[in-house]
Amino acid sequence: MEWIGWLSLAIVVGALIFLGISAFKTFKSIKPKVDHLKEAQQRIQTETTKIKTETDELKVHQEHIMADVDHAKQAVTLTVNETKQIPQNAKFLAKTAVDSAKNKKMAKA
């Protein structure tokens, strides 16, 4: 009966040794895969940072373009408004010239 205890102990020790060996083999086979995943994660992080930087640069570029468009829009609006006032200014100039000529004639007379 005593030999059953020793046999059970030997089986348990053998099982623990087998567990340790299989765990070590599993760890050893998984390590390259884990390293590959870490490298992939690093590449993705690098690409994400690069895309974020490009996005920020594009936002700045977009703001410059919008400022240029606003400036051009203001210039066109000002030109159109000034062009609309040309007939009124021409009438005023003509009226002023006629009045000035009349005043000169009256002053000579």
Side-chain angles (χ1 to χ4, degrees):
M1 196 65 138
E2 197 174 299
W3 58 276
I4 292 178
W6 288 108
L7 183 63
S8 297
L9 182 61
I11 291 174
V12 169
V13 169
L16 288 174
I17 291 172
F18 180 74
L19 176 67
I21 291 171
S22 66
F24 181 74
K25 284 183 181 179
T26 303
F27 175 75
K28 203 171 183 183
S29 68
I30 289 178
K31 188 164 178 8
K33 294 174 185 173
V34 170
D35 290 342
H36 178 71
L37 288 174
K38 284 181 181 179
E39 290 172 6
Q41 178 189 12
Q42 187 129 18
R43 283 192 309 269
I44 290 171
Q45 184 64 38
T46 302
E47 287 297 317
T48 303
T49 304
K50 182 180 173 184
I51 290 171
K52 185 178 183 312
T53 303
E54 289 176 2
T55 302
D56 292 342
E57 290 174 3
L58 286 173
K59 283 182 183 177
V60 169
H61 189 64
Q62 179 186 16
E63 289 173 1
H64 287 297
I65 290 172
M66 292 302 293
D68 289 345
V69 167
D70 287 342
H71 179 71
K73 183 179 174 183
Q74 288 176 353
V76 168
T77 303
L78 179 65
T79 303
V80 168
N81 287 339
E82 290 297 323
T83 305
K84 286 180 181 177
Q85 291 182 4
I86 287 177
Q88 294 172 354
N89 291 340
K91 287 178 186 177
F92 177 75
L93 181 63
K95 183 179 177 184
T96 306
V98 168
D99 288 346
S100 176
K102 285 181 182 178
N103 287 340
K104 285 183 182 179
K105 286 183 182 178
M106 290 183 122
K108 287 183 180 179

